[in-house]
Amino acid sequence: MQPLSNIESLLYFSPELLLVIFAVAVILVDLGVKNRESATVAYLSLIGVGCVFVAVLLTHGQLGDKDSISLFLGMIRLDAFSIFFKILLLLATAATILFSLRSEELDARLKGEYYALLLAITLGMFLMASSTNLLMIFISLETVSLTSYILAGFLTHNPRSSEAAFKYITYGAVASGTMLFGLSLLFGMTGTGDLGQISTALTELLASGEIYSLTVLIAIIFVLAGVGYKIASVPFHMWSPDVYEGAPIPITAFLSVASKSAGFALFIRFFYSGFGSSEVMQSVDWTLMLAIVSALTMTVGNLAALPQQNVKRLLAYSSIAHGGYLLMGGVLLTSEGIGAILFYLVVYLFMNLGAFYVVVLIANEEGSEMVEGYRGLASRAPLVAGAMAIFLFSLTGIPPFAGFFGKWLLFAAVLEQGYYWLAFVGLLNSVVSLYYYARIVKAMYLESADEETTPASFSTGTFALLSVFVIPTILIGFINIFYTFSNISVSVIPMQ
Amino acid sequence: MTLQHYLVISAILFTLGIFAVLTRRNAISILMGIELILNSCNLNFAAFSRFMTPPEDISGQVIAIFGIVLAAAEAAVFLAIILAIYREFGSIRPNEVDTLKG
């Protein structure tokens, strides 16, 4: 199908346009708000997210029975895959706004900028999930990166936050520069920026022997540097523990879920549309490379998490490990593998955001992010402790929680393709991860606080928000709808 | 000048950039290294666009122009963060900015 022209495309671009409008509106309204403690801008951005959600559903209706619509002369594509990620990202953004409302870390004077940047980063991630052109891929990646550097360093007068931003931008800029170099090599070999045309051109050129497979391999490795840094895979994971520890907790939660999801969206589209043809696979076996990266990522993440005392840092390493599990699904060229990734991303969204929400609550209550702060939580706040235990067991992958079903699908997909060693490494890693997750549960249930503390009191709103994460974490595994949705979304990616 | 000349220059620029990032002990020099990396990519795009695509297709040069814009945006954010680092730590040497580790 022919790509639509710029004017025609605007009809299908309403979610992104709405995000821009609300980002600007948040800044303008913030200028008029006199009381710095008021939450007007936060609610305005929540309304914005709600409107965008409706707009995304409407674009799904516009899509009708067509597989995909190519917009802006082939720059981005509207399909079930991008709509799936847009909904996922909006859920993460809404949760982050709610966390920020309740977090006591943030500077009240800078609220307008904060929420406007959150909406802007969501826009960048929307584009990451739908780009089909090298230029658009790079621009969207940079939009997300630049905004997240600023958000990570958002706590002015907090050295840890500034340090996090500094480390983030140093790693990030090098990784995205390396990726751009890889993209330039791809452009040079194929003479086009369109992913579909790159795939056909690479297939022809490799078949006729006009380009060396080594050149393609180098380009793939360079591109993997940029994508790998976004999903925090080994060896590009070094930034993530420091950034996750130093950044404000809502932003840490957002980066660990939304940034990773958008990275996986880009990864899947890029590798399956660009390098997925069997000719490319024959000369450049990048799936074995990915399998090794995936095994290393989960092992490094889990082993490094073992001695951590800071819960934010522990969850950072756990999030690296989960990136490894997710990559396991990407090793396969099957729709089961990608379907499992998408399903696991939904599960991961709920359980990880839930765990971070408890971290926000405890940080507000105790002023501590260390494991000691969780001692005796079960007697002080039984509901919060119970919720945290559910999230942690789900992250480990213990039945009957959603994490188990997500992992089960990933392992099933890997085993089906005969990667037995990879499934074995993944299984060992799940066992290792139980140790550090259970350490927090042990602190909450079996240890008592050093000094006598009063029972913590949380508002009804807190419990309502907490249950939004607990209920899906328990139930998603038993509901088919998400799994079906994930599989439908996969079916539209062109795979040769 | 053939395509190879441009590619060799851009490969040298890229390597110098990576080398600067890895060895320099000053945040501003690291930023300069990053700029070198980005410029080598822009040179690549412009050269490929001139030699590998038909003259009426300027998409490679357009990508290079966007690359310049993004490099400027990145430099702005980087310098702002360096300022914040200097305020908090009184130094812009990366090895003195080390409260987060483990």
Side-chain angles (χ1 to χ4, degrees):
Chain A
M1 187 187 150
Q2 277 299 308
L4 297 181
S5 74
N6 287 347
I7 303 289
E8 288 170 312
S9 306
L10 287 178
L11 268 177
Y12 301 93
F13 203 55
S14 53
E16 286 83 353
L17 291 177
L18 271 175
L19 274 175
V20 176
I21 292 170
F22 271 96
V24 176
V26 163
I27 293 182
L28 291 180
V29 168
D30 183 57
L31 291 176
V33 177
K34 288 281 186 301
N35 175 13
R36 300 314 310 170
E37 295 301 317
S38 93
T40 321
V41 284
Y43 288 121
L44 180 65
S45 39
L46 260 188
I47 294 170
V49 170
C51 293
V52 176
F53 189 79
V54 174
V56 169
L57 293 183
L58 287 179
T59 52
H60 188 252
Q62 283 174 318
L63 195 57
D65 49 3
K66 282 189 284 270
D67 267 351
S68 68
I69 303 177
S70 194
L71 305 179
F72 296 104
L73 304 169
M75 281 291 164
I76 67 174
R77 179 184 297 188
L78 178 72
D79 51 19
F81 181 77
S82 64
I83 289 171
F84 174 89
F85 274 98
K86 283 175 187 175
I87 292 174
L88 200 69
L89 294 167
L90 280 176
L91 287 177
T93 312
T96 311
I97 295 172
L98 290 170
F99 291 0
S100 313
L101 263 175
R102 293 176 184 278
S103 169
E104 288 164 10
E105 287 182 295
L106 297 165
D107 191 341
R109 285 174 301 130
L110 296 170
K111 269 187 184 159
E113 286 92 328
Y114 178 81
Y115 292 109
L117 283 172
L118 263 183
L119 293 180
I121 198 170
T122 313
L123 169 71
M125 289 172 174
F126 271 33
L127 295 176
M128 257 171 96
S130 38
S131 329
T132 50
N133 187 297
L134 296 187
L135 175 60
M136 206 57 222
I137 286 175
F138 187 64
I139 292 178
S140 57
L141 191 82
E142 281 291 282
T143 313
V144 173
S145 302
L146 287 176
T147 323
S148 44
Y149 305 146
I150 302 171
L151 285 174
F154 211 78
L155 303 179
T156 42
H157 307 299
N158 179 340
R160 296 202 308 163
S161 182
S162 308
E163 184 184 342
F166 178 62
K167 288 183 169 166
Y168 201 3
I169 195 170
T170 317
Y171 284 111
V174 175
S176 54
T178 312
M179 179 174 180
L180 188 60
F181 199 82
L183 295 184
S184 77
L185 290 182
L186 273 182
F187 177 81
M189 282 185 279
T190 57
T192 168
D194 187 81
L195 280 185
Q197 289 173 21
I198 284 181
S199 176
T200 9
L202 278 183
T203 311
E204 282 169 17
L205 289 168
L206 280 170
S208 66
E210 275 183 65
I211 50 174
Y212 295 113
S213 58
L214 183 65
T215 328
V216 182
L217 181 68
I218 290 176
I220 290 180
I221 291 177
F222 277 23
V223 169
L224 198 63
V227 180
Y229 132 83
K230 264 270 156 286
I231 58 182
S233 73
V234 170
F236 313 105
H237 68 289
M238 320 282 234
W239 59 273
S240 114
D242 287 348
V243 171
Y244 284 13
E245 188 182 342
I249 307 174
I251 295 305
T252 308
F254 187 70
L255 289 180
S256 73
V257 172
S259 195
K260 208 175 272 270
S261 307
F264 268 100
L266 183 61
F267 162 78
I268 293 170
R269 207 186 274 279
F270 204 119
F271 277 75
Y272 288 86
S273 315
F275 310 131
S277 74
S278 53
E279 283 80 4
V280 180
M281 298 287 305
Q282 261 169 18
S283 44
V284 187
D285 188 9
W286 50 265
T287 53
L288 180 66
M289 187 170 78
L290 278 185
I292 295 170
V293 167
S294 150
L296 282 177
T297 305
M298 51 187 146
T299 314
V300 168
N302 279 323
L303 291 184
L306 289 177
Q308 297 307 325
Q309 289 303 320
N310 183 311
V311 178
K312 255 162 99 187
R313 204 174 173 85
L314 189 148
L315 286 176
Y317 280 114
S318 119
S319 133
I320 295 178
H322 281 272
Y325 300 138
L326 283 160
L327 260 183
M328 222 162 49
V331 171
L332 315 157
L333 277 168
T334 55
S335 55
E336 284 83 17
I338 307 176
I341 294 187
L342 299 198
F343 181 72
Y344 199 74
L345 280 173
V346 176
V347 173
Y348 179 71
L349 171 99
F350 285 107
M351 59 191 185
N352 211 42
L353 283 179
F356 271 110
Y357 185 48
V358 176
V359 177
V360 172
L361 293 176
I362 303 301
N364 285 348
E365 196 72 23
E366 312 265 336
S368 162
E369 295 162 359
M370 313 305 279
V371 177
E372 291 96 72
Y374 290 73
R375 277 190 191 151
L377 194 68
S379 54
R380 276 177 293 148
L383 284 176
V384 175
M388 186 66 166
I390 289 177
F391 297 137
L392 292 175
F393 284 135
S394 178
L395 282 167
T396 323
I398 291 178
F401 303 115
F404 167 74
F405 293 96
K407 266 192 189 155
W408 186 65
L409 285 174
L410 280 172
F411 284 128
V414 172
L415 287 174
E416 200 182 0
Q417 291 300 305
Y419 272 98
Y420 297 110
W421 65 271
L422 188 59
F424 183 65
V425 172
L427 208 61
L428 276 185
N429 268 294
S430 300
V431 177
V432 171
S433 72
L434 178 63
Y435 174 77
Y436 59 85
Y437 290 127
R439 206 149 48 92
I440 303 179
V441 178
K442 177 171 154 257
M444 289 191 301
Y445 280 91
L446 299 179
E447 293 168 16
S448 52
D450 291 338
E451 67 265 29
E452 209 46 51
T453 39
T454 47
S457 61
F458 297 107
S459 67
T460 346
T462 306
F463 291 122
L465 186 51
L466 207 50
S467 62
V468 169
F469 297 109
V470 172
I471 293 169
T473 307
I474 299 174
L475 289 184
I476 281 183
F478 303 104
I479 309 175
N480 270 332
I481 175 165
F482 285 101
Y483 185 58
T484 327
F485 191 27
S486 319
N487 267 344
I488 293 171
S489 311
V490 173
S491 61
V492 299
I493 308 181
M495 277 188 287
Q496 282 89 359
Chain B
M1 294 280 269
T2 61
L3 177 61
Q4 276 72 22
H5 289 104
Y6 290 100
L7 291 188
V8 167
I9 291 177
S10 103
I12 292 173
L13 275 180
F14 182 79
T15 321
L16 283 178
I18 295 278
F19 184 73
V21 171
L22 292 178
T23 58
R24 287 287 155 172
R25 289 278 164 265
N26 182 311
I28 303 281
S29 313
I30 291 178
L31 174 61
M32 287 159 74
I34 291 166
E35 293 296 315
L36 279 185
I37 296 176
L38 291 172
N39 280 327
S40 76
C41 307
N42 294 338
L43 186 61
N44 250 357
F45 273 117
F48 279 135
S49 174
R50 164 77 177 72
F51 288 99
M52 301 295 284
T53 57
E56 67 274 8
D57 179 4
I58 55 163
S59 60
Q61 295 165 45
V62 172
I63 298 182
I65 288 178
F66 273 99
I68 294 169
V69 174
L70 287 169
E74 199 153 81
V77 175
F78 204 126
L79 287 172
I81 290 175
I82 290 178
L83 263 181
I85 281 288
Y86 184 73
R87 259 207 321 262
E88 301 295 336
F89 292 87
S91 162
I92 53 169
R93 296 165 65 86
N95 49 348
E96 289 170 23
V97 183
D98 61 350
T99 54
L100 301 169
K101 50 186 147 189

